[in-house]
Amino acid sequence: QVQLVESGGGLVQAGGSLRLSCAVSGRTFSNYPMGWFRQAPGREREFVAAISSSGSTTIYKDSVKGRFTISRDNAKNTVYLQMVNLKPEDTAVYYCAADSAVMLRIATMIPNWGQGTQVTVSS
């Protein structure tokens, strides 16, 4: 069973930056695309970014393009999400996923999630 542990969230002012990390175990990390999703209170979990198993392909939600960067370190079994110029609408719990379905951007197709990390952006 895959285990995912997200970290790096916090409270920042609008315009600030955070770097999220997700450590993965229980799965051959380098075989799987990785993704970040987020869920704000009262809203459905939504796609944020994904990266292919090799790292050669990345995709993003339109509203985060140019501000967020997803990357991975296959030697460390870790995926990252660098977030700059954060906005109040980025406030949510952020989750990572290790599953081929991340490239389809559909959260309901992904069976395993970590506990998430809270990101709060104040205006």
Side-chain angles (χ1 to χ4, degrees):
Q1 176 108 8
V2 62
Q3 293 184 326
L4 308 114
V5 180
E6 301 94 339
S7 61
L11 172 63
V12 296
Q13 291 186 333
S17 301
L18 284 173
R19 188 195 194 203
L20 307 184
S21 300
C22 173
V24 181
S25 61
R27 177 163 289 182
T28 304
F29 181 78
S30 60
N31 286 351
Y32 289 87
M34 293 293 301
W36 286 96
F37 291 72
R38 67 188 181 188
Q39 188 165 17
R43 302 189 66 176
E44 294 184 350
R45 194 166 299 186
E46 65 176 7
F47 170 81
V48 176
I51 186 168
S52 62
S53 57
S54 68
S56 61
T57 300
T58 57
I59 55 176
Y60 296 92
K61 177 181 174 63
D62 285 346
S63 63
V64 308
K65 285 180 181 178
R67 300 188 298 120
F68 290 12
T69 303
I70 188 171
S71 62
R72 65 190 296 157
D73 186 335
N74 285 351
K76 295 183 177 179
N77 287 6
T78 301
V79 64
Y80 305 98
L81 187 67
Q82 178 69 50
M83 306 184 293
V84 302
N85 191 22
L86 282 159
K87 302 177 180 181
E89 52 264 42
D90 295 318
T91 295
V93 178
Y94 283 70
Y95 300 88
C96 69
D99 197 287
S100 298
V102 302
M103 304 304 284
L104 300 177
R105 314 181 188 213
I106 303 173
T108 54
M109 296 183 65
I110 298 168
N112 298 301
W113 299 96
Q115 83 289 347
T117 186
Q118 176 71 48
V119 171
T120 303
V121 185
S122 62
S123 57

